[in-house]
Amino acid sequence: MGRYFRRKLLIYGVTFVIAVTINFAIPRMMPGDPIARMLAQNKVSNVESAARMHAYYNDLFGLDVPLWQQYLNYWGALFQGDLGVSLFAFPSPVSSVVLDALPYTLGLLLPAILLSWFVGNGLGAIAARSKWLDNTALPVSYLLTAVPYMWLAILLAWVGGVILGWFPVAGGYSFSFSGPQFSWNFIVDALHHWFLPFLSLFLVALGGWAIGMRNLVIYELESDYSNYMQTLGAPRRLVRRYAFRNAMLPQISGLALQLGVVVGGALVTEVVFAYPGLGSLVLDAIQNQDFFLLQGILLFIVIGVLVFNFLADVVYVLVDPRTRLGLEGGAS
Amino acid sequence: MTTDATLKSDSVGESRERLYFAFRNPKVVIGLAIVLGLLLVGLIAPLLLSAEPTQQFDAKSASPSGEHWFGTTYFGNDVFTQFAYGIRSSFMVGALGGGIAFVIGLTVGFTAGYRGGLVDEFLNMLTNVVLVLPALVVLIVLSTYLENRGPVSQAIIIGVFSWPWVARAVRAQTFTLRNRDYVDLAKLSGKRAPQIIVREVMPNMASYLLMSVILLFGGAILFAAMLDFIGLGPTDSISLGSMMQQSMAWSALHLGLWWWFVPPGLAITAIVGGLYITNVGLDEVFNPKLREM
């Protein structure tokens, strides 16, 4: 078990370092002067303030010292939680802007990921059992995995929001609330806004899990131990239960691997619904050429993905005894 | 996706038999028909259409009619023209991005699996790291810094970040194949490693490789559409994703211009879905066990 975790932690550590390094390197390697572009984009016309901002950002990027020292300074600032100042929401620091948006994205992502995983696995396992269900659930699942996230979101907003008028199509809460607050009215209103983006994410992710589970269960049912148990006369239910439990293992490691894709899906879904999470923030950052904000978001997402991956590993160890005993297995 | 490729030796008779089964398999036929049909639209329609995708007609926000098959946008662009050009660019990005990812994945997987040892340790680490990185977010940051974006640069960055799962699967299969007798024989007869990989190892996973190309192709199209939708698409041309972005930006939802945002998404779904269906069919062709189901 120790070896398994050491290896995983090493991979996550290296990933984090690489992500930070990419973050550090991109603005310095890309052609052009990002600071000049930021200032031009934000139409800082006053010459004096433009010069001051240019000097400020030069200082903040620390472009006047050697590269290796810039790199060390970058890490130093990072550990103090200093990700720079957002241009788009000036003068708020990037970290607080991101933290404000984070609850909305997590509120969408976590239920969508977990529910789609449970429902999809159940659906797939049942589909592997009945030919009739297999013939209907499988094509629908393939259709769902092929749909681009934002298109399903647009369709749901159009049908549920515009045509039927059942749900609001934009925002995280009504304009009548000046901001998030703790009251029943607000929570009901926020849930009302939450439902369509959630449904959209849930549906796209659902298909993949159902297909994966169906294939895995069929594969397990064909394996030697299943055949052996069947020849011993074990009841079909028991054989299927063993097949299901074995098929769970790849689905757990798949949960971690799919995360990056689902996060991407959440970003574009939020853009469609103008939902005030990280996705809308990414859009604002791009439109305002707010590079600090964009890189801060990248860093937050990378950290989130790594933490979630680690949690999946812990679950994997709890579920699969082979990893606990230090045997091969779970070598994902 | 678990694709259980058969690891049997290929022969001429067998590949002919597979071709026979492939064209008998309704999934392969339907999937390919959808994909090739749309490919034809993307290849031929732009040649026949007189209008440019950016050309503005007098009829603005017009619903579909004989003159404008898919209607016009808020600005009077012909939606069908944009649609055809968009499909063309989607196929291009899919082929190029998927191709790049395939070449990288194949190289990394074969090298790691065949060499083993320290090389494998390093490449495996690299694969796992890229696998964990949230690709779309990295792509967003990279594209934002690119001032002039074209379909080619987009395809390259997509390819560079979507190869890891191919590399992992190829590595695992190479591991099981590299100690086979015929590989040893090839080594004894003095063949070099690249030659052995291409001549002895690769044919044994040809079916798997074909299927991963298809999946990479579809994945690259989806990635490109997402980037385009956030406004990071090609700066100088139209794409299916940027059509959706435009329709949302000019509130096609509230104006009821459904012909503006339905076709591009439908086309992507059809292309990617068609590819997936082809893949399932091919799996049945290569894997006779599944055929009986």
Side-chain angles (χ1 to χ4, degrees), chain A residues 116-126 206 209-210 212-213 244 248 251:
Chain A
S116 69
W117 191 78
F118 280 111
V119 176
N121 278 332
L123 209 65
I126 299 172
L206 181 71
W209 296 124
M213 193 55 172
F244 181 71
M248 283 305 266
Q251 292 289 79

Side-chain angles (χ1 to χ4, degrees), chain B residues 267-282:
Chain B
I268 297 174
T269 311
I271 296 172
V272 179
L275 289 171
Y276 286 171
I277 296 171
T278 312
N279 222 17
V280 181
L282 284 178

Side-chain angles (χ1 to χ4, degrees), chain A residues 7 10-12 14-15 18-19 22-23 26-27 30-32 34 37 131 134 142-143 145-151 154-155 157-158 162 169 208 211-212 214-216 218-219 222 257 260-261 263-265 267-268 271-272 282-283 286 289 291 294-295 297-298 301-302 305-306 309 332, chain B residues 1-2 4 27 121 124-126 128-138 140-142 144-147 161 168 222-223 225-227 229-232 241 244-245 247-248 252-254 256-258 261-266 268-270 272-274 276-277 280 283 289-290 292-293:
Chain A
R7 206 182 153 71
L10 181 65
I11 289 173
Y12 299 148
V14 172
T15 310
I18 289 182
I22 290 178
N23 242 353
I26 290 175
M30 286 294 176
R37 268 175 73 197
K131 191 141 183 88
D134 200 29
Y142 274 105
L143 193 69
T145 44
V147 172
Y149 277 96
M150 60 279 183
W151 192 57
I154 294 175
L155 287 187
W158 181 47
V162 177
V169 284
I211 296 167
R214 173 209 173 256
N215 292 346
L216 284 165
I218 288 178
Y219 176 78
E222 281 172 0
L257 294 181
V261 181
V263 169
L267 295 185
V268 290
V271 169
V272 171
V282 165
L283 194 68
I286 293 171
Q289 301 272 311
F291 296 118
L294 198 60
Q295 298 190 313
I297 296 170
L298 170 70
I301 290 179
V302 167
V305 168
L306 292 181
N309 264 281
S332 59
Chain B
M1 222 127 295
T2 51
D4 187 35
K27 287 178 187 134
E121 282 286 322
N124 198 22
M125 178 68 88
L126 183 72
N128 281 321
V129 166
V130 182
L131 199 62
V132 176
L133 275 181
L136 187 76
V137 190
V138 178
I140 288 174
V141 174
L142 272 174
T144 313
Y145 277 101
L146 283 176
E147 246 170 306
F161 282 95
R168 243 168 64 158
L222 282 180
F223 260 137
M226 280 160 106
L227 283 177
F229 183 70
I230 315 183
L232 295 173
M244 283 189 262
Q245 184 225 353
S247 73
M248 286 306 283
L253 271 185
H254 300 281
L257 309 179
W258 54 267
F261 56 79
V262 169
L266 196 61
I268 297 174
T269 311
V272 179
Y276 286 171
I277 296 171
V280 181
D283 206 9
K289 259 190 196 170
L290 295 173
E292 290 150 23
M293 285 268 313

